[in-house]
Amino acid sequence: MSEGRKLRAGLIGLGAMGRNHARVLSGLDGVELVGIVDPAGDVTGTLRAPVVPELGDLLAMGIDYAVVACPTALHEQVGLELARNGVGALIEKPLAQSVEAATRLVEAFEAAGLVAGVGHIERYNPALQSLRLRLEAGELGEVYQVVTRRQGPFPHRIADVGVVMDLATHDIDLTSWVTGQEYTSVSARTVSRSGRLHEDMVAVVGQLTDGTMVNHLVNWLSPLKERSTVITGDKGCFVADTLTADLTFYANGAIDTEWEALRAFRGVAEGDMVRYAIPKREPLLVEHERFRDAVEGKESDIVTLRQGLRTVEVAGALLRSASDGSTVTVGARHTSPAEGAVPTR
């Protein structure tokens, strides 16, 4: 890219998430949103970029990269077409609806030598970014357990995948990324109560490579909207609320008690509670900044396609476990969970 030239970006899909991408891309430094693909057009009439019906129309405009925010079932088709045309891509999570489709996307973009990533936006949540740094610094000591809860009302816009692929992939990726560990086994149970083809609730028990126990509760059947990550270790526990981007630390108590009934219990006691004041930038904006930097050839911690593939593999293991009632062993990862730097074009 010549010095001073803006990157030419395209957007594919104008659903709820696509419109958020359009908003961020329209104001992103160093980037020009030159076109959007959606068969329905611009129903609001508020977009700054032209909306075209076909991907070929967007490619004809000449773009450096595209953001793929169409339904998951179309990710493979759209992604492979972008790779064939030498266009990098930021693909919304999950990378694809199956391990096979995700693998084909990884291979296509790697063979073309293109920068490509997956939109696992929780990695850019301020609370989780602060939590990861604190875990790396040893502030929690040995990690014992990761518990996530992600629940809320049914999203009528989602029709092609169930709650495992749509929501649990957030928790799979953030757990592996925050702890720096891989999943080794998972056991899951699902139910479907909304009358749809796919599952709408999942409960998961898993284990990471260092022995850490993992629990995920995910559903879109609750009027309560909750996004919580609790990590417990030998010095206390961290609680990250990713709706408000708040991070709180609950320390184990260090003061002896004279209450005999409590002294008989050899577990931990309540200690200090600290809620951290952390800068709170919009995660989607940070995600786009990091991907822009990667396309420009700078070192940047985007979520690589191979990391996105690994998340799809774990999600597939959850669905297999729920289907046959077994505990499923998850194979070796293609890359380290902390990997983020990507090759330049």
Side-chain angles (χ1 to χ4, degrees):
M1 186 181 71
S2 63
E3 188 70 25
R5 182 179 82 83
K6 286 188 175 183
L7 290 171
R8 293 173 62 82
L11 171 64
I12 301 159
L14 272 178
M17 197 63 200
R19 290 193 172 274
N20 280 319
H21 282 295
R23 170 181 56 81
V24 172
L25 282 168
S26 295
L28 187 61
D29 289 342
V31 174
E32 178 185 2
L33 177 60
V34 298
I36 303 168
V37 179
D38 195 290
D42 180 11
V43 296
T44 66
T46 60
L47 296 169
R48 303 179 188 176
V51 180
V52 296
E54 301 289 342
L55 177 56
D57 300 324
L58 177 64
L59 293 172
M61 297 177 183
I63 56 175
D64 297 298
Y65 73 94
V67 176
V68 180
C70 55
T72 304
L74 299 177
H75 284 188
E76 180 187 9
Q77 174 188 338
V78 170
L80 292 179
E81 185 67 15
L82 291 171
R84 279 193 292 269
N85 285 273
V87 176
L90 173 59
I91 303 174
E92 259 302 337
K93 64 86 207 159
L95 175 55
Q97 63 181 354
S98 70
V99 173
E100 294 76 18
T103 300
R104 288 188 286 269
L105 284 170
V106 170
E107 293 173 347
F109 280 96
E110 287 185 349
L114 295 167
V115 174
V118 186
H120 282 292
I121 194 170
E122 292 286 38
R123 291 204 191 187
Y124 307 101
N125 188 287
L128 293 177
Q129 291 201 325
S130 178
L131 172 54
R132 183 175 187 239
L133 291 174
R134 293 177 184 281
L135 290 179
E136 289 178 341
E139 293 185 20
L140 194 59
E142 182 183 356
V143 175
Y144 300 152
Q145 182 186 51
V146 180
V147 177
T148 70
R149 296 191 304 275
R150 184 177 300 272
Q151 54 188 344
F154 173 67
H156 293 281
R157 61 186 175 83
I158 303 296
D160 56 341
V161 294
V163 74
V164 170
M165 282 294 183
D166 182 59
L167 289 183
T169 47
H170 278 303
D171 297 301
I172 294 167
D173 181 75
L174 77 84
T175 296
S176 187
W177 175 73
V178 164
T179 62
Q181 302 295 320
E182 303 175 4
Y183 286 77
T184 58
S185 66
V186 291
S187 178
R189 297 296 180 269
T190 61
V191 296
S192 180
R193 293 289 184 265
S194 61
R196 300 171 67 255
L197 174 64
H198 302 288
E199 78 290 341
D200 42 40
M201 176 180 286
V202 62
V204 180
V205 175
Q207 189 171 47
L208 304 181
T209 47
D210 64 351
T212 297
M213 182 170 64
V214 173
N215 301 92
H216 302 308
L217 178 63
V218 189
N219 79 74
W220 51 38
L221 297 176
S222 170
L224 167 67
K225 191 169 184 180
E226 183 180 31
R227 303 286 186 270
S228 172
T229 299
V230 181
I231 302 185
T232 303
D234 64 357
K235 296 182 180 179
C237 76
F238 283 108
V239 178
D241 183 332
T242 52
L243 281 176
T244 60
D246 286 326
L247 179 64
T248 305
F249 177 60
Y250 295 83
N252 292 342
I255 301 175
D256 290 335
T257 179
E258 297 181 3
W259 188 355
E260 189 64 34
L262 293 182
R263 290 180 63 188
F265 175 61
R266 298 298 183 183
V268 301
E270 292 179 329
D272 295 332
M273 180 186 75
V274 180
R275 186 171 70 84
Y276 299 102
I278 53 180
K280 295 182 180 181
R281 300 187 69 221
E282 182 185 3
L284 187 62
L285 173 58
V286 177
E287 179 180 79
H288 274 277
E289 290 174 344
R290 302 292 171 81
F291 192 77
R292 173 205 61 200
D293 291 348
V295 175
E296 289 180 338
K298 302 172 183 175
E299 185 173 341
S300 183
D301 59 345
I302 68 171
V303 185
T304 67
L305 293 195
R306 285 199 172 271
Q307 292 173 342
L309 168 59
R310 175 59 172 184
T311 296
V312 173
E313 289 174 339
V314 176
L318 297 186
L319 293 172
R320 290 197 303 276
S321 172
S323 176
D324 58 24
S326 65
T327 296
V328 177
T329 299
V330 184
R333 193 183 184 118
H334 299 279
T335 62
S336 112
E339 177 207 356
V342 296
T344 59
R345 293 178 65 176

